[in-house]
């Protein structure tokens, strides 16, 4: 469904992604893991065009093009079908939770208001935020904000939901809240790419795990295989450090 | 205090209030409205980085913030007639003040727009909004809230600064006080009276600011 080939990306002279290849199929949940600075965020940002890539091709269903040659209208059309959940939520501060969710439906997609309201209620129910629908972001806990942000990006039924460390700015209790929601979404068959440090989540919920280091994909394997029989030395080292951390 | 002084104060008060309502307030309102519009345009061309205009806006701000307001007023009212442009005192004051205040206020507006976190814009793009929608629905409302206290401060400053228009013969409240003081030889009393009226005016504005700030806040009254 979504595929990138030979993706390269840099910040000035610092080359951050070096020849990345990966694909996502419908219904898959992919966990991207790797140490800090390995380029995970940059990868999500460049396939969402928030950061301009230096080279590579992107394929989305049967649309395929050099990622550096996309027109503004093509970028907008692709973004319409991607959901993005930010590490720090980025809810619109001047809007209530309900307005945040409605915005993508009514303003961006010109949906009929009554219909948008119905969908909004349904997704807020799903993330257990209906009671707080009329609160502003500043009045919510981090976990509540992140659940609202998830509702905002699933409301328009994106083909793929990209999540960049959705729980890393939350404390353990709130992390659990959000992971439960993501587990539910996975069960509903929503296609997800999740950058995460939560190995338990990667092991139990993801179909596939991608391990990145130094701007390259080191290992890309089904979750069980990734954790039980990693092929690369670097992966084994990484898994040792993360399991040591978690005790 | 002598009876005569009381009489002067009492009889001048309605006069001063009249000039306040008839000249000072309209002068302030005209200037503020014009400079707000101009400031917004100056800020916008810089934020949007429109090629020639954004450079022009920066030069404009450099000049009008870098020279004294009173000199700008003298150039327009006393200077321009020698090149054939003659304006009355009131419009001269409005133009000079607006040009000057717009330079300051555009910086406030520009900084406020840039103070809205870039994540807000990115989130807007990722739910499918276009740039115009992001600006009008997300960035500008948030920037307005950030800019509000400073822009309101400019309004309060302006009601006081409007007395400078007296220097190019606009008879506003301060000039009126000056004339009565000259006639009655009671400068202390008259200027204090004028000061008091400015103070009342700005007290009212400050209360208005508090009220509006409350209305602007993005908080739901919590009823639990
Ligand atoms: N805005 C930026 N300007 C310059 N360099 C950047 C910028 N953002 C990231 N980098 C660099 O790019 C590299 C990859 O960063 P990236 O944020 O993609 O890593 P990450 O894998 O998401 O790390 P983390 O787990 O800490 O979030 C890092 O070496 C970082 O220093
Ligand atoms: Mg990151």
């Amino acid at each position: 469904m979504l595929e990138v080939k030979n993706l390269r990306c840099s910040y000035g002279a610092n080359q951050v992604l070096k020849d990345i290849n990966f694909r996502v199929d419908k219904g898959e949940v992919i966990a991207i893991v790797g140490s800090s600075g390995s380029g995970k965020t940059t990868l999500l940002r460049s396939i969402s065009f928030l950061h301009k890539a230096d080279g590579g091709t992107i394929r989305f269903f049967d649309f395929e093009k050099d990622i550096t040659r996309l027109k503004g209208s093509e970028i907008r059309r692709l973004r319409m079908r991607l959901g993005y959940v930010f590490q720090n939520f980025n809810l619109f501060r001047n809007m209530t939770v309900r307005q945040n969710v409605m915005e993508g439906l009514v303003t961006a997609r010109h949906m009929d208001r009554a219909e948008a309201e119905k969908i909004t209620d349904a997704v807020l129910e799903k993330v257990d935020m209906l009671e707080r629908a009329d609160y502003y972001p500043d009045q919510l806990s981090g976990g509540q904000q992140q659940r609202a942000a998830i509702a905002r990006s699933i409301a328009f039924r994106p083909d793929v939901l990209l999540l960049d460390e959705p729980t890393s700015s939350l404390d353990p209790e709130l992390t659990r809240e959000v992971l439960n929601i993501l587990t539910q979404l996975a069960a509903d068959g929503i296609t997800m790419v999740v950058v995460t440090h939560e190995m338990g989540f990667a092991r139990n919920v993801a179909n596939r795990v991608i391990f990145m280091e130094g701007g390259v994909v080191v290992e890309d394997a089904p979750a069980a295989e990734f954790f039980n029989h990693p092929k690369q030395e670097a992966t084994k080292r990484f898994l040792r450090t993360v399991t040591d951390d978690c005790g | 205090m002598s009876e005569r002084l009381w009489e002067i104060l009492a009889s001048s008060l309605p006069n001063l209030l009249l000039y306040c309502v008839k000249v000072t307030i309209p002068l302030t309102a005209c200037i503020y409205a014009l400079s707000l519009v101009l400031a917004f345009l100056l800020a916008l061309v810089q934020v949007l980085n429109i090629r020639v205009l954004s450079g022009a806006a920066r030069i404009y701000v450099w000049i009008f913030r870098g020279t004294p307001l009173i000199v700008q007023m003298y150039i327009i009212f006393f200077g321009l007639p020698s090149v054939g442009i003659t304006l009355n005192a009131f419009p001269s004051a409005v133009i000079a003040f607006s040009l000057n205040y717009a330079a300051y206020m555009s910086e406030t507006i520009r900084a406020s727009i840039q103070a809205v976190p870039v994540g807000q814009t990115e989130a807007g793009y990722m739910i499918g909004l276009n740039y115009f929608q992001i600006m009008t629905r997300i960035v500008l409302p948030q920037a307005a809230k950030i800019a509000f206290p400073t822009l309101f401060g400019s309004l309060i400053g302006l009601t006081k600064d409007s007395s400078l228009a007296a220097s190019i013969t606009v008879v506003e409240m301060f000039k009126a006080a000056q004339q009565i003081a000259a006639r009655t030889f009671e400068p202390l009393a008259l200027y204090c009276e004028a000061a008091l009226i400015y103070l009342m005016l700005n007290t009212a504005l400050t209360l208005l600011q508090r009220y509006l700030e409350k209305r602007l806040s993005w908080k739901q009254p919590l009823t639990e």
Side-chain angles (χ1 to χ4, degrees):
Chain A
M1 175 165 64
L2 172 67
E3 184 170 15
V4 289
K5 289 183 211 147
N6 311 110
L7 181 68
R8 286 176 294 112
C9 216
S10 50
Y11 290 100
N14 177 15
Q15 189 167 10
V16 173
L17 297 181
K18 305 158 186 160
D19 199 31
I20 298 270
N21 294 281
F22 92 116
R23 60 180 278 174
V24 190
D25 290 321
K26 192 165 163 52
E28 266 190 319
V29 176
I30 297 182
I32 300 182
V33 301
S35 52
S36 187
S38 55
K40 306 179 299 293
T41 295
T42 310
L43 174 61
L44 289 197
R45 288 177 62 83
S46 56
I47 58 184
S48 320
F49 321 102
L50 294 175
H51 185 79
K52 204 165 170 10
D54 300 335
T57 49
I58 185 162
R59 185 178 66 77
F60 199 60
F61 293 97
D62 51 6
F63 174 88
E64 182 162 3
K65 200 164 176 183
D66 181 341
I67 198 166
T68 59
R69 302 252 158 111
L70 288 168
K71 291 195 287 252
S73 60
E74 290 170 327
I75 288 179
R76 179 128 187 272
R77 228 179 46 234
L78 289 172
R79 276 180 176 153
M80 281 283 194
R81 307 175 64 173
L82 295 177
Y84 198 109
V85 174
F86 296 85
Q87 186 171 355
N88 58 348
F89 334 129
N90 288 338
L91 287 172
F92 306 129
R93 296 186 59 201
N94 57 327
M95 298 181 185
T96 63
V97 167
R98 177 177 273 113
Q99 291 168 334
N100 264 274
V101 178
M102 298 273 290
E103 195 63 17
L105 303 173
V106 176
T107 308
R109 289 170 184 75
H110 309 293
M111 192 181 279
D112 169 69
R113 225 182 157 74
E115 196 189 339
E117 258 160 33
K118 225 185 293 160
I119 294 175
T120 300
D121 278 3
V123 291
L124 288 178
E125 175 84 68
K126 177 157 268 187
V127 300
D128 196 19
M129 283 294 293
L130 199 49
E131 270 162 54
R132 312 219 175 242
D134 295 317
Y135 283 48
Y136 284 88
D138 288 354
Q139 298 173 294
L140 299 172
S141 75
Q144 292 166 341
Q145 288 189 56
Q146 192 60 297
R147 285 185 283 143
I150 290 169
R152 176 176 69 178
S153 47
I154 59 174
F156 51 83
R157 302 188 153 278
D159 291 295
V160 190
L161 185 60
L162 308 171
L163 304 100
D164 187 8
E165 302 198 27
T167 62
S168 66
S169 54
L170 306 176
D171 61 36
E173 183 138 344
L174 302 181
T175 295
R176 198 146 6 91
E177 274 177 13
V178 170
L179 290 181
N180 285 342
I181 300 288
L182 296 183
T183 307
Q184 253 181 57
L185 296 182
D188 293 349
I190 294 183
T191 311
M192 288 192 272
V193 178
V194 190
V195 171
T196 186
H197 291 293
E198 299 290 333
M199 292 303 144
F201 176 80
R203 183 193 278 268
N204 299 323
V205 182
N207 311 112
R208 249 167 65 214
V209 182
I210 292 177
F211 171 57
M212 286 181 67
E213 196 170 72
V216 297
V217 171
V218 175
E219 187 142 357
D220 178 347
E225 199 179 313
F226 181 89
F227 286 102
N228 300 327
H229 312 289
K231 290 202 182 61
Q232 306 295 328
E233 271 315 306
T235 314
K236 290 178 193 165
R237 251 195 331 268
F238 172 75
L239 285 174
R240 265 200 304 277
T241 56
V242 290
T243 44
D244 281 356
D245 285 350
C246 307
Chain B
M1 240 190 290
S2 73
E3 208 164 298
R4 176 177 166 274
L5 196 56
W6 275 117
E7 246 162 52
I8 292 172
L9 285 174
S11 67
S12 61
L13 183 64
N15 219 333
L16 291 187
L17 286 175
L18 184 71
Y19 277 99
C20 178
V21 171
K22 261 180 56 183
V23 188
T24 295
I25 290 176
L27 181 66
T28 303
C30 282
I31 295 167
Y32 196 69
L34 274 177
S35 44
L36 207 53
V37 172
L38 184 55
F40 181 71
L41 294 177
L42 285 167
L44 206 59
V45 298
Q46 290 180 76
V47 170
L48 299 180
N49 214 350
I50 300 173
R51 252 189 304 155
V52 183
L53 289 179
S54 126
R58 267 191 291 274
I59 292 172
Y60 175 94
V61 172
W62 171 61
I63 293 174
F64 281 88
R65 276 206 315 181
T67 55
L69 170 59
I70 195 156
V71 175
Q72 293 162 12
M73 267 196 309
Y74 271 53
I75 289 175
I76 289 175
F77 185 65
F78 296 115
L80 288 187
S82 66
V83 292
I85 304 171
T86 307
L87 295 168
N88 288 336
F90 189 90
S92 294
V94 169
I95 291 170
F97 263 99
S98 301
L99 294 177
N100 182 275
Y101 265 67
Y104 283 95
M105 284 158 61
S106 74
E107 287 293 283
T108 304
I109 295 174
R110 185 182 60 76
S112 304
I113 293 174
Q114 283 164 349
V116 176
V118 65
Q120 297 284 310
T121 302
E122 293 183 343
Y125 278 129
M126 293 317 297
I127 62 162
L129 299 179
N130 62 33
Y131 186 73
F132 178 79
Q133 292 167 331
I134 291 171
M135 276 311 254
T136 53
R137 300 190 52 84
I138 297 161
V139 175
L140 291 179
Q142 293 188 33
K145 185 179 163 172
I146 298 170
F148 184 80
T150 314
L151 289 181
F152 212 94
S154 298
L155 175 60
I156 289 173
L158 179 60
T159 57
K160 296 177 293 175
D161 284 357
S162 66
S163 56
L164 280 176
S167 67
I168 57 166
T169 77
V170 176
V171 185
E172 39 64 73
M173 181 170 57
F174 171 66
K175 186 79 180 176
Q178 225 172 9
Q179 288 170 349
I180 301 172
R183 194 150 30 80
T184 57
F185 303 105
E186 290 292 350
L188 179 63
L190 259 301
Y191 293 145
C192 284
E193 192 174 35
L196 208 63
I197 299 176
Y198 282 113
L199 187 61
M200 291 296 116
L201 191 58
N202 282 330
T203 306
L205 284 176
T206 306
L207 292 176
L208 178 65
Q209 177 178 5
R210 280 207 203 122
Y211 169 76
L212 290 175
E213 255 166 37
K214 234 177 250 149
R215 299 263 332 241
L216 266 176
S217 91
W218 301 313
K219 289 232 175 2
Q220 214 68 1
L222 299 180
T223 49
E224 275 181 71

